[in-house]
Amino acid sequence: MVKINDNYNKLAGSYLFSTIAQKVNAYTSAHPDTNIIRLGIGDVTRPLPQAVTDALHAAVDEMADEKTFRGYAPDRGYGFLRRAVCENDYRQRGCDIDEDEIFISDGAKPDSGNIQEIFSADASVAVCDPVYPVYVDSNVMAGRRISYLACTAENGFVPQIPDEAYDIIYLCSPNNPTGTALTRDELQKWVDYAAQNSSVIIFDAAYEAYIREDDVPHSIYECSGARECAIELHSFSKNAGFTGLRLGYTVVPKDLVREGVSLNSLWARRHATKYNGAPYIVQRAGEAVYSPEGKKQVAALVDYYMDNACYILSGLTKAGYKAFGGVNSPYVWMAVPDGMTSWEFFDRLIEEAGVVGTPGSGFGACGEGYFRLTAFGSRENTREAVDRIVRMGA
Ligand code: MLT
């Protein structure tokens, strides 16, 4: 009889956002008249920017014409998109990254789950606690040992450099779920740690577009030495609204070498074997994000969500809650009232205010006692949700 991958038995019963969706569906079936506002999963609600939809339409027309039809995309993604990424996200910021170090994909979530495959099964892994669950679950599936770096209000939700040497460290900044961000100096310390210990940092920059403060780096490659020790993940979901289109990219610098092997070649081999490329029309849509109109429209989208973040943060603070994040990030992380667990607060919020958020304990033990609200709702819903929470009282 075939044996299953027993590591799957070590996972929580279901993925955090699936559990929440099940709970909300059960609640709405039992209370069909309640007007529920969802500020739980970080899924966007605004339509795609006009520059993006124009590019999609034009690309669809190309696919309908024999002369311009395209089949499989190149393994690492089309040159037009890798050039746009390289120029806008790296060279213009003074980061030394080449086009052939960029791998176009269907998003940062799959890449963050898949990247661990290029490391040995016994590599030690450190993640922040609380943490985006994909980093943990994908390593549990592979049977790895995971250590947790506590991020609490006491340390400003900043992971402290550990005494032990870990092989792989996942960092996400601006952070999901706490909404806080590492400064350039704080990130440089991690790069120095990785260099000293021959570790590899997997840096998730999915929320980079939300950075407002000058001392917060947009890329880990702003830190010196990062080309030798860091992989970076990017998403088009949170800035340009691609959650339903799917597009992202991963940067693996050629200077990143372990045991004499280039991780860029390993990831290229994995990508070519297991992935057939983001659709041509979606890559053209991604290119449009970097056009002059695309940049303006994406900036307006990000501003729209940041206005929500600001409303959430100030509303919660006025209502007497301790709240964090929301300054360089679309997430606000709040402390739940004393004596309640995160899941108890989840139940109270849906019952008394008709608002759905994400219980902090779903992101790890240090998330207990906290709750996450996202700024990705519509302006009207976000204001209504915050006003209801304020009326409910702390
Ligand atoms: C979240 O709510 O944490 C995000 O939507 C997750 C994701 O981007 O996969």
Side-chain angles (χ1 to χ4, degrees):
M1 190 171 62
V2 67
K3 287 195 175 156
I4 62 156
N5 176 351
D6 191 38
N7 295 318
Y8 278 63
N9 285 327
K10 300 174 196 153
L11 295 166
S14 69
Y15 183 60
L16 173 63
F17 294 104
S18 314
T19 310
I20 292 173
Q22 280 158 19
K23 273 177 102 66
V24 175
N25 289 342
Y27 186 85
T28 47
S29 308
H31 305 84
D33 297 331
T34 311
N35 169 18
I36 296 287
I37 300 178
R38 294 165 199 258
L39 301 184
I41 190 162
D43 194 4
V44 294
T45 53
R46 298 296 84 209
L48 292 164
Q50 182 74 44
V52 167
T53 52
D54 287 347
L56 280 171
H57 286 298
V60 168
D61 288 343
E62 282 186 68
M63 294 297 274
D65 185 332
E66 198 179 345
K67 291 193 235 44
T68 46
F69 170 79
R70 317 276 181 128
Y72 291 126
D75 285 352
R76 294 177 190 223
Y78 283 102
F80 60 78
L81 180 54
R82 289 189 291 122
R83 266 192 298 284
V85 165
C86 193
E87 182 55 32
N88 289 279
D89 289 350
Y90 294 103
R91 294 206 179 125
Q92 287 179 11
R93 289 193 175 127
C95 300
D96 173 21
I97 292 295
D98 273 345
E99 281 163 38
D100 55 2
E101 296 174 320
I102 293 165
F103 297 80
I104 305 298
S105 72
D106 56 347
K109 176 177 175 176
D111 282 357
S112 70
N114 294 329
I115 193 75
Q116 47 77 30
E117 281 186 29
I118 63 171
F119 299 101
S120 76
D122 61 358
S124 59
V125 176
V127 299
C128 295
D129 177 5
V131 63
Y132 178 46
V134 177
Y135 315 152
V136 173
D137 288 1
S138 54
N139 279 290
V140 169
M141 288 169 181
R144 289 197 189 87
R145 183 172 65 81
I146 299 174
S147 301
Y148 293 88
L149 309 166
C151 296
T152 60
E154 288 68 44
N155 59 28
F157 304 102
V158 174
Q160 303 299 294
I161 305 289
D163 296 332
E164 304 92 303
Y166 294 108
D167 297 324
I168 305 168
I169 301 106
Y170 287 79
L171 296 175
C172 175
S173 177
N175 188 259
N176 181 12
T178 66
T180 52
L182 296 176
T183 63
R184 200 165 278 106
D185 288 349
E186 285 162 348
L187 189 56
Q188 183 65 57
K189 287 190 187 130
W190 275 104
V191 170
D192 295 344
Y193 163 92
Q196 273 155 23
N197 295 293
S198 290
S199 319
V200 173
I201 295 175
I202 297 172
F203 186 73
D204 187 345
Y207 300 94
E208 163 273 317
Y210 291 84
I211 294 171
R212 290 290 195 262
E213 294 180 320
D214 289 343
D215 64 344
V216 175
H218 289 254
S219 163
I220 196 164
Y221 304 113
E222 290 177 39
C223 296
S224 74
R227 281 186 57 82
E228 286 91 49
C229 66
I231 290 173
E232 184 162 283
L233 314 173
H234 265 260
S235 170
F236 286 75
S237 291
K238 315 295 172 163
N239 57 342
F242 278 47
T243 55
L245 274 188
R246 308 307 308 151
L247 191 67
Y249 67 85
T250 284
V251 181
V252 189
K254 287 197 233 130
D255 297 350
L256 184 46
V257 175
R258 293 293 179 270
E259 299 189 286
V261 178
S262 145
L263 299 197
N264 180 289
S265 340
L266 286 188
W267 187 241
R269 186 69 173 84
R270 193 263 172 213
H271 212 55
T273 305
K274 295 199 178 182
Y275 184 61
N276 251 342
Y280 174 69
I281 60 171
V282 178
Q283 297 199 41
R284 279 292 184 201
E287 180 192 29
V289 165
Y290 298 102
S291 66
E293 313 75 53
K295 282 184 187 170
K296 270 190 236 140
Q297 293 160 9
V298 165
L301 261 185
V302 170
D303 285 349
Y304 178 98
Y305 293 129
M306 281 311 280
D307 186 57
N308 286 347
C310 183
Y311 195 84
I312 298 173
L313 186 61
S314 65
L316 293 177
T317 308
K318 264 189 246 141
Y321 289 103
K322 272 201 208 103
F324 310 88
V327 175
N328 294 297
S329 154
Y331 294 125
V332 176
W333 187 242
M334 62 185 282
V336 306
D338 279 349
M340 284 191 110
T341 66
S342 303
W343 278 108
E344 282 166 355
F345 188 72
F346 174 91
D347 290 336
R348 178 178 166 206
L349 203 60
I350 197 167
E351 277 158 26
E352 293 183 26
V355 175
V356 177
T358 309
S361 56
F363 297 103
C366 291
E368 184 54 278
Y370 289 91
F371 201 76
R372 193 194 75 177
L373 292 174
T374 134
F376 287 120
S378 69
R379 176 164 298 146
E380 299 69 34
N381 277 349
T382 303
R383 280 167 197 249
E384 170 66 19
V386 172
D387 296 348
R388 287 188 201 171
I389 297 172
V390 171
R391 282 199 297 275
M392 183 182 91

